[in-house]
Amino acid sequence: MKHFSQISDFSKNDILEVFRRAEIFDKGGDFTTLARGKTLGLGFFQESTRTVSGFQSAIIRLGGGWIGLPSPVGSYV
């Protein structure tokens, strides 16, 4: 299992694979089980309700779950 936390964690082949899969998603289909059993950790340290909601919605639509990491005082949690 690979973990990605920054862009340098991706190889050129990893990035090309992301684009390949994006083309498949763009064509439609049922992807509701793609992330079954997976959990996405969300760590946003500045207010960004729209971005957080987008990531939460995406992982749920793929069948996965999410967990929010604590943010600094005054920021979105």
Side-chain angles (χ1 to χ4, degrees):
M1 173 184 299
K2 283 181 106 171
H3 299 275
F4 302 103
S5 60
Q6 55 192 357
I7 193 66
S8 62
D9 293 335
F10 288 86
S11 69
K12 180 179 178 180
N13 287 337
D14 292 329
I15 293 170
L16 292 174
E17 180 65 13
V18 167
F19 286 118
R20 185 188 72 78
R21 290 183 185 203
E23 288 179 20
I24 294 169
F25 293 152
D26 196 37
K27 293 177 182 174
D30 181 12
F31 301 103
T32 57
T33 60
L34 189 63
R36 182 179 289 157
K38 305 291 185 196
T39 302
L40 177 67
L42 298 173
F44 293 93
F45 302 106
Q46 295 182 4
E47 292 186 26
S48 181
T49 303
R50 183 176 53 202
T51 304
V52 171
S53 298
F55 275 90
Q56 290 169 343
S57 174
I59 193 67
I60 290 168
R61 289 176 61 198
L62 294 173
W66 62 272
I67 184 168
L69 304 175
S71 62
V73 175
S75 296
Y76 179 85
V77 177

